[in-house]
C-alpha cells in the first residue's frame, strides 16, 4: 500500500535530533512559549522574509488573530474563496465579520483577481487569499486592488511554507501571513501549531498580546485576548524540522515534476504551476469527472488518495446562513467535484510514483 501521507518515515530520519530537542524542553520545563518558541519565531520569520513572527497554537488561530489585529469585526466584510479548507472562513466568522466569496481561477485553484472588484462593497475591509495546495495566489493584481480600495491583505499560507511568487515568499507579501504547522503540513509539528508573520510592528505587538490573554505584562490585560500560545515542545520540534524544510521542499518539487512527466501525453489533467511561482506541492491534485471510480480503482491497486475538498465552503451546511446557492461559484464547485489528491511527500520514491501513475492511467482508461 502506498499511503497518502507518511509521517513515520520522516520521523525515523530525524529521530535522534527530535528526541533530543524534546528532551531539552522537558529539562527546561518551558512548556508554553519559552526560548524554543522565541528562537523558532525568529528563524521561521526569517525563512519567510518577514521581520516578525508570532507563534500560536493553530493556523486557524493565526488567521483569527491577524484579522483581529487589523481591527476587523462585526459589520465588516472579508473577501476569500469558497474552494478552501473550512478554517479560512471560520476564522472570519470568529471575528464577527462576514465572509464574501469570489471564485477561483480553475488553472491554479486560487483566487481569481479579475473577480475581486465586483465583490467589494463599502463594508469590505480585507482580502484573504488562500495559497491552496502550495501555490501562491496571483498576488500582484490582488495587492493592486487592495491598495486602490484601502484593504488589508491577510495571506492564508497554511499550505504554502516556502512557496514563492516572483521571488517573494508566502506570508511576506500581504500585511500579514498565516501558517499552520498541523502534522501533515509541509512543516508540521508533533501536535498543533501556527504562526503569523508580518512586517508591521504594531500588528506584531497586538498579536503577541492577543495570543496570551491580551496582556502587556502578566495580569495587565489591555486587550480581550485568548489562550492561543504555541507550546515549547512544538517550537523545539519545529526548529529541528525547519533545518530540513528546503531539502524536503525540493524533494516535493522533484516529485511534482516527476508526476507531470509520468502523466504527459495521457488524458489525466495535472496541476498547473504558474511560471512565476515556486509551487511547494503540499498537495498534488489531478482532476477527473469519474472520481469515485478512480479512487476505488486506485485503492484496489494499493494507492491511497485524498480529496481536498469535496464541498466548497459556500455549500457546507454550517455556512448555509450566508445564503449562497449551488451554481454561484462554478469553478470552485467543479473543482470540488473533480479533484483527487495523489500521495505527495518528500520521502515518496520514483518507484512509488511510477506505481501510482500506472494505477491512475489504468483507472482513468
Ligand atoms: C488553507 C488552510 N487554512 C487554514 C488551516 C487551519 O490550520 P490549523 O489546522 O492549523 O488550524 C488549514 C489547515 O488545516 C488550511 O489548509
Amino acid at each position: 500500500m502506498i499511503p497518502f501521507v507518511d509521517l513515520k518515515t520522516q520521523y525515523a530520519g530525524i529521530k535522534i535530533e527530535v528526541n533530543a530537542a524534546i528532551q531539552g524542553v522537558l529539562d527546561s520545563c518551558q512548556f508554553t512559549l519559552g526560548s524554543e518558541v522565541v528562537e523558532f519565531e525568529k528563524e521561521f520569520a526569517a525563512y519567510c522574509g518577514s521581520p516578525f513572527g508570532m507563534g500560536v497554537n493553530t493556523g486557524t488561530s493565526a488567521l483569527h488573530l491577524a484579522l483581529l489585529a487589523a481591527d476587523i469585526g462585526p459589520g465588516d466584510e472579508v473577501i476569500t474563496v469558497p474552494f478552501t479548507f473550512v478554517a479560512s472562513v471560520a476564522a472570519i466568522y470568529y471575528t464577527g465579520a462576514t465572509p464574501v466569496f469570489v471564485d477561483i481561477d480553475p488553472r491554479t485553484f486560487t483566487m481569481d483577481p479579475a473577480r475581486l472588484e465586483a465583490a467589494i462593497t463599502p463594508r469590505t475591509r480585507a482580502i484573504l487569499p488562500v495559497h491552496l495546495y502550495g501555490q501562491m495566489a496571483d498576488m500582484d493584481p490582488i495587492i493592486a486592488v487592495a491598495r486602490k480600495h484601502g484593504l488589508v491583505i491577510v495571506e492564508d499560507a497554511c499550505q504554502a511554507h516556502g512557496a514563492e511568487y516572483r521571488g517573494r515568499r508566502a506570508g511576506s507579501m500581504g500585511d500579514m501571513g498565516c501558517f499552520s504547522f498541523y502534522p501533515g503540513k509541509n512543516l508540521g509539528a508533533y501536535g498543533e501549531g501556527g504562526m503569523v508573520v508580518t512586517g508591521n510592528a504594531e500588528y506584531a505587538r497586538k498579536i503577541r498580546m492577543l495570543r496570551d490573554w491580551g496582556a502587556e505584562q502578566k495580569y495587565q490585560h489591555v486587550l480581550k485576548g485568548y489562550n492561543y500560545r504555541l507550546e515549547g515542545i512544538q517550537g523545539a520540534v519545529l526548529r529541528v524540522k525547519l533545518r530540513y524544510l528546503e531539502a524536503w521542499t525540493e524533494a516535493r518539487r522533484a516529485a511534482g515534476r516527476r508526476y507531470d512527466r509520468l502523466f504527459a501525453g495521457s488524458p489525466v489533467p495535472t496541476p498547473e504551476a504558474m511560471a512565476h511561482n515556486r509551487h511547494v506541492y503540499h498537495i498534488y491534485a489531478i482532476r477527473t469527472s469519474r472520481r469515485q471510480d478512480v479512487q476505488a480503482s486506485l485503492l484496489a491497486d494499493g494507492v491511497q488518495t485524498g480529496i481536498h475538498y469535496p464541498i466548497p465552503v459556500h455549500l457546507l451546511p454550517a455556512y448555509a446562513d450566508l445564503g449562497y446557492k449551488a451554481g454561484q461559484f462554478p469553478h470552485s464547485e467543479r473543482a470540488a467535484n473533480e479533484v483527487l489528491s495523489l500521495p505527495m511527500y518528500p520521502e515518496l520514491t520514483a518507484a512509488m510514483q511510477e506505481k501510482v501513475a500506472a494505477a491512475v492511467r489504468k483507472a482513468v482508461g
Side-chain angles (χ1 to χ4, degrees):
M1 179 65 72
I2 299 178
F4 177 64
V5 283
D6 178 10
L7 301 180
K8 286 186 180 168
T9 304
Q10 187 176 82
Y11 173 56
I14 55 174
K15 186 172 185 164
I16 294 171
E17 285 169 273
V18 166
N19 289 10
I22 292 174
Q23 187 62 53
V25 178
L26 297 179
D27 291 335
S28 75
C29 291
Q30 292 188 335
F31 293 118
T32 188
L33 298 177
S35 58
E36 291 291 330
V37 169
V38 170
E39 293 308 312
F40 176 61
E41 287 174 339
K42 286 185 205 152
E43 290 162 8
F44 189 71
Y47 176 81
C48 296
S50 263
F52 306 104
M54 290 68 67
V56 292
N57 59 342
T58 64
T60 310
S61 302
L63 290 165
H64 183 197
L65 295 191
L67 293 168
L68 287 182
D71 287 327
I72 285 159
D76 297 334
E77 291 177 357
V78 178
I79 300 176
T80 191
V81 285
F83 190 57
T84 182
F85 183 58
V86 68
S88 315
V89 178
I92 297 169
Y93 253 88
Y94 290 177
T95 66
T98 303
V100 172
F101 295 123
V102 297
D103 210 352
I104 55 166
D105 177 338
R107 292 171 304 168
T108 58
F109 303 109
T110 58
M111 180 177 278
D112 182 351
R115 297 171 195 273
L116 251 181
E117 285 207 276
I120 292 174
T121 75
R123 297 181 160 209
T124 308
R125 291 285 321 284
I127 305 172
L128 196 150
V130 182
H131 305 324
L132 202 75
Y133 296 167
Q135 171 157 239
M136 285 178 70
D138 193 2
M139 291 303 287
D140 280 347
I142 293 173
I143 290 169
V145 170
R147 289 228 174 98
K148 183 171 159 198
H149 295 273
L151 308 176
V152 172
I153 296 179
V154 175
E155 293 174 62
D156 183 339
C158 288
Q159 300 189 1
H161 316 70
E164 290 174 12
Y165 176 92
R166 301 190 196 283
R168 291 189 61 188
R169 283 263 160 102
S172 72
M173 292 193 74
D175 296 276
M176 288 169 270
C178 300
F179 291 87
S180 165
F181 305 120
Y182 179 76
K185 296 290 197 254
N186 288 22
L187 179 61
Y190 286 165
E192 304 277 351
M195 192 175 293
V196 185
V197 299
T198 184
N200 181 311
E202 182 53 21
Y203 289 149
R205 193 182 74 89
K206 272 171 95 172
I207 291 167
R208 257 179 235 294
M209 288 198 277
L210 287 167
R211 73 167 171 191
D212 194 11
W213 291 117
E216 203 151 37
Q217 293 163 32
K218 207 162 189 181
Y219 305 128
Q220 308 286 318
H221 305 279
V222 295
L223 297 172
K224 291 192 182 72
Y226 300 81
N227 178 354
Y228 282 174
R229 296 178 296 246
L230 181 60
E231 294 186 345
I233 285 177
Q234 304 312 335
V237 169
L238 287 163
R239 284 189 80 195
V240 171
K241 295 184 78 177
L242 180 56
R243 297 200 283 271
Y244 292 91
L245 184 57
E246 275 303 284
W248 289 337
T249 299
E250 284 307 318
R252 282 178 184 272
R253 287 170 50 73
R257 285 192 293 267
R258 189 175 296 112
Y259 272 141
D260 289 347
R261 281 198 303 274
L262 289 166
F263 291 125
S266 81
V268 180
T270 52
E272 271 191 58
M274 294 288 126
H276 53 259
N277 272 345
R278 182 191 195 210
H279 194 320
V280 296
Y281 292 102
H282 174 57
I283 299 277
Y284 187 98
I286 59 165
R287 300 180 77 133
T288 164
S289 53
R290 295 176 33 247
R291 182 170 64 196
Q292 229 179 339
D293 299 341
V294 172
Q295 195 171 28
S297 165
L298 286 171
L299 197 59
D301 283 339
V303 177
Q304 278 182 354
T305 54
I307 299 173
H308 303 88
Y309 298 90
I311 306 173
V313 180
H314 70 288
L315 300 181
L316 286 173
Y319 294 97
D321 59 334
L322 290 173
Y324 289 108
K325 299 271 175 297
Q328 278 186 278
F329 304 103
H331 293 304
S332 293
E333 291 166 30
R334 188 162 168 216
N337 285 330
E338 293 187 351
V339 288
L340 183 65
S341 312
L342 303 184
M344 170 52 79
Y345 32 91
E347 298 77 15
L348 199 64
T349 64
M352 289 159 89
Q353 287 193 270
E354 279 156 21
K355 185 179 162 185
V356 173
V360 171
R361 278 173 175 259
K362 180 180 133 194
V364 169

